[in-house]
Amino acid sequence: MSDLISTLKAHAPFNQMAPEHLKQLARQGRTLTLQDGEVAITKSDTPADRLFIVLSGAIDGERPDAKEQEPPLWSLSEGELFPIGALLGDRATRNRYRARGESTLLALEKSDFMDLIHHSPPFSDFCSRRIANLLDQALSKSRAQTAQQLGQDNALDTPIERLLRRTPITAGTDESLENALTIMRRENIGSMVIVDEAHRPVGVFTLRDLLSRVVLERFDLSRPIREVATANPVTLPKSAFAFEAAMVMADHGFHHLCIVDETGVLAGVISEGDLFSLQRVSLANLSRAIQKADSVEALSAMRTDIQTLIGQMIAGGVQIDQITQIITLLNDHLTRRIIDLIIAQRGQPAVAFSWLSFGSEG
């Protein structure tokens, strides 16, 4: 323990901590050694449960899908701690932490970490400053990326084919639901395209289908997945433009679209994130929220989100005629929903009617 304490005291904040708190840390922590390339933490769905302190060696932070030769996002050396943000935010880690060379870590359980934050002011202050520093770095990186992208052509008139980056995960029509769910868990995906023998998309299975058609209906997992998948998925040809995909997503409230080649064979899947890398407001989510709003007041409150979305699209270089079409689509959704709400409140009108838009709305 004395050697461990000496190692810790060579770095902040341990050199400022009270002796009793340092002894508590050394007593509660558990040392572990990682070989070169071994992973300490990776992206998961469960909140982080341990703090790690680098005692020797180095830990590289990587994106969870980083390629083998891709440089790390950052490197942590002796005396540094991770993942403070995930622990304090009670969330899962978003990146992968890999040892560079043989590295020794001190692992501290989350409950002991929180207890130390509560009782040791130097340790608490260090963690707070570390979070603030990480936020500053993230903000600077975001600003730099935005500035770089503003100088590029980010219009939505790009052919969808250029945006297809991943091979979609698929299942055959006779694949058992149990096998399909096993694949989804292994690949960490929330949806799967169902294809026929010619690899044409005939259905899509999502987590929403899992809840409504499998869990609640106590569906037999040995039966084929086609029985619970959503049939006849909406598709677009790979020759279509990104703007067309954005409009379809907004109109239907989709987050993903199946893209096919000229013969109808699945060529890939395009996501809303692929189309709007700078968006903070999701077009599909906003469209769906409008269509499900339960009051005119709720619709009015969405005005800020619409303004934010349009501002982001302008900053992203989306062409003005495309932006006005998206505004029109959202305005149509708003108008339809308001009419539905009023009819639900006051009853059907005595005669059939049409709604006409004039002036700036038209």
Side-chain angles (χ1 to χ4, degrees), residues 1-2 4-6 8-9 14 17-31 51 53 106-124:
M1 184 179 293
S2 60
L4 177 57
I5 290 177
S6 297
L8 291 172
K9 289 181 68 174
F14 312 109
M17 293 171 57
E20 62 270 22
H21 296 145
L22 204 53
K23 289 180 181 179
Q24 174 186 339
L25 171 61
R27 184 175 60 254
Q28 293 173 335
R30 181 173 64 88
T31 58
L51 173 77
I53 303 170
L106 183 67
L108 188 68
E109 294 297 324
K110 181 178 179 179
S111 57
D112 297 327
F113 165 72
M114 298 304 294
D115 183 67
L116 202 57
I117 284 224
H118 182 71
H119 290 99
S120 173
F123 185 74
S124 175

Side-chain angles (χ1 to χ4, degrees), residues 222-240:
S222 64
R223 290 165 63 183
I225 191 173
R226 67 172 183 272
E227 297 182 14
V228 288
T230 300
N232 303 315
V234 176
T235 65
L236 278 179
K238 62 181 183 180
S239 59

Side-chain angles (χ1 to χ4, degrees), residues 116-135:
L116 202 57
I117 284 224
H118 182 71
H119 290 99
S120 173
F123 185 74
S124 175
D125 182 64
F126 176 87
C127 292
S128 298
R129 291 175 182 272
R130 176 64 174 162
I131 292 297
N133 179 257
L134 290 174
L135 289 174

Side-chain angles (χ1 to χ4, degrees), residues 83-103:
I84 298 177
L87 289 167
L88 293 179
D90 194 29
R91 60 169 175 80
T93 54
R94 301 190 178 108
N95 296 290
R96 184 168 57 206
Y97 295 81
R98 187 191 299 274
R100 177 157 42 87
E102 185 177 295
S103 302

Side-chain angles (χ1 to χ4, degrees), residues 336-354:
R336 289 194 190 102
R337 189 56 187 156
I338 292 171
I339 292 173
D340 289 341
L341 290 171
I342 298 302
I343 289 177
Q345 177 184 345
R346 303 193 179 186
Q348 286 285 351
V351 296
F353 71 95
S354 295

